[in-house]
Structure formats: structure tokens, C-alpha cells
Amino acid sequence: MLKHSVFIAGMLVLATLGGCYSAPQTQLQTQAQGEVSLKADQYSIQIGFTAQAQSSDTALAELEMALVGFLEWKDTAGFDVVTQNESVQPIYHYPSNGPRKLSGYQAHHSYIVKDMSLEQYAQAMKALAQFKPESLYQGEVGVSEQERKHALAQAYEMAYAANQAKLSTLMNLAKLCEPKVETIKEYTQSHGAPRVMMMEAKSSAPVASEHTVNVRLDMTWLASEC
């Protein structure tokens, strides 16, 4: 979702420039700003599976069985799935009197499903919940580089068009013709960043803060008397 806004400022510098010009030139200065707000277009899911048993081998075997459905889904879904954590840890019992006692082992394996659209995220959450993982959360929320570049190009075009509109007004007031660009100074800013949210699978939809891309163009023009 993109939101656009434009801020315009301009001024006329009545400076007659000589030298190599065949006719007197007047310098005009304009300033305009283009702003585009966009929301996150990349979502990830964190999912984890755990199994407990009396021995580490048995815990790993049970974990392997718990992962069967998820691994089949991973192979067919086509998403980028990477391991986040994999461990086997002893479980101790601490009696009120006496030393701790080993009561078993816990095997754990967690993954991150990366770079999904909002629609893919919603579908994946429903599919993954069927495998009864120990944990299932929304992971990172982000804006893709492609979306950032697209927003930046839009903001630039908006700022340039607004400068041209301001230039037209100044030229009509000063009765000038044949404008040419002398200099362009660009100032780019990015405000905010999508939040990293942690939400349970039962949540209705992920949430991300807006990210704003801002481009300001300070332009100098030369124009001749009509």
C-alpha cells in the first residue's frame, strides 16, 4: 500500500548571466519533495518442534517422527526454509534433598520460513498449525529491496514533477521562456522501519509499522526572456 504526498517551494532569482550566452539568462530556483509510504511485503514464520524421551537417541527418533509432516510440506511449498536452532539437552530433576537426577532428554529443532507475501504467510500459518509444533510465531516483517527501489523512484518522479510545476508558475510570472536545468541536488531520507513482531498462530493477521521514503530535489534553472 503506497501513500503519496508532495511538498513544494520555489523562488525566482533575477540574475542576468553573461559570458557565453547569446542572450541574458535568468536563474530560477525551485524546491519540491516527494514522499511515499509503504507497508511491509515480506513476512517470515518461526516454527519449532520438541520431543522428550529417556535417552537422547530415542528423543531424536521421536523428534524425527514429529518432523515428517513439516519436512514434506517444506519440500513441496517452495519457500526458503532455514534451520534456526537444533539441540539435544538433558533434563534434570532436582529433589528437595540430595543431588540432581537425570530424568531424560529433550530434542529440539526450530526453523524459519522466509520471504513470504502476506497471502502466503496466512496460508502457511494454517498449514503449519496442522503439524502441531511446539511453537509457531510470526517472525521478521520487512520491506523488500525491490519495493524500496520502486518507492524511491516514485518519490523522485513526484519531486521532479512538482519542481516543474513550480517552475512553470515562476516563468509565467516573470515572462520567461526556454528553461534549462542547471543543477539538481537530491536529498533522500528513510523514516521508520517495519517492526519485528511476535504473534501466535491464532492471531488474525500480522502487523507492521509503515516505512516512509522521502526525496527532496533542490533545482536551479536557467531561462531566457520571451
Side-chain angles (χ1 to χ4, degrees), residues 206-223:
V207 179
S209 58
E210 288 189 350
H211 183 82
T212 301
V213 176
N214 180 289
V215 174
R216 192 189 84 204
L217 296 180
D218 293 356
M219 301 185 64
T220 302
W221 314 74
L222 292 177

Side-chain angles (χ1 to χ4, degrees), residues 118-184:
L118 180 57
E119 182 180 359
Q120 290 171 333
Y121 164 87
Q123 293 174 350
M125 271 293 196
K126 293 180 180 179
L128 294 175
Q130 299 176 4
F131 304 130
K132 299 180 180 180
E134 182 198 34
S135 61
L136 181 59
Y137 296 99
Q138 178 185 318
E140 292 186 353
V141 177
V143 176
S144 65
E145 188 62 26
Q146 179 180 357
E147 189 70 10
R148 289 182 193 275
K149 290 181 179 179
H150 179 64
L152 186 63
Q154 282 189 307
Y156 189 98
E157 292 176 359
M158 293 165 61
Y160 190 87
N163 269 288
Q164 288 183 310
K166 191 63 179 180
L167 172 68
S168 178
T169 299
L170 294 175
M171 289 185 62
N172 289 334
L173 292 173
K175 300 188 183 305
L176 297 173
C177 298
E178 300 179 358
K180 296 179 181 180
V181 176
E182 185 179 33
T183 62
I184 300 178

Side-chain angles (χ1 to χ4, degrees), residues 61-209:
E62 292 187 5
L63 177 61
E64 185 176 348
M65 291 295 295
L67 285 170
V68 170
F70 169 75
L71 295 178
E72 290 178 350
W73 175 88
K74 177 180 75 70
D75 292 338
T76 59
F79 296 122
D80 184 9
V81 181
V82 297
T83 292
Q84 184 182 33
N85 180 270
E86 186 175 12
S87 65
V88 179
Q89 296 179 338
I91 303 173
Y92 292 102
H93 172 64
Y94 293 86
S96 56
N97 296 314
R100 68 180 185 180
K101 295 182 179 180
L102 180 66
S103 60
Y105 290 85
Q106 176 176 279
H108 177 76
H109 202 152
S110 61
Y111 301 83
I112 300 178
V113 187
K114 303 172 62 178
D115 299 340
M116 294 176 289
S117 67
L118 180 57
E119 182 180 359
Q120 290 171 333
Y121 164 87
Q123 293 174 350
M125 271 293 196
K126 293 180 180 179
L128 294 175
Q130 299 176 4
F131 304 130
K132 299 180 180 180
E134 182 198 34
S135 61
L136 181 59
Y137 296 99
Q138 178 185 318
E140 292 186 353
V141 177
V143 176
S144 65
E145 188 62 26
Q146 179 180 357
E147 189 70 10
R148 289 182 193 275
K149 290 181 179 179
H150 179 64
L152 186 63
Q154 282 189 307
Y156 189 98
E157 292 176 359
M158 293 165 61
Y160 190 87
N163 269 288
Q164 288 183 310
K166 191 63 179 180
L167 172 68
S168 178
T169 299
L170 294 175
M171 289 185 62
N172 289 334
L173 292 173
K175 300 188 183 305
L176 297 173
C177 298
E178 300 179 358
K180 296 179 181 180
V181 176
E182 185 179 33
T183 62
I184 300 178
K185 294 182 179 180
E186 178 182 339
Y187 303 89
T188 303
Q189 292 182 326
S190 295
H191 302 286
R195 295 191 299 269
V196 176
M197 303 291 291
M198 298 297 292
M199 302 179 67
E200 297 184 13
K202 63 183 180 182
S203 300
S204 58
V207 179
S209 58

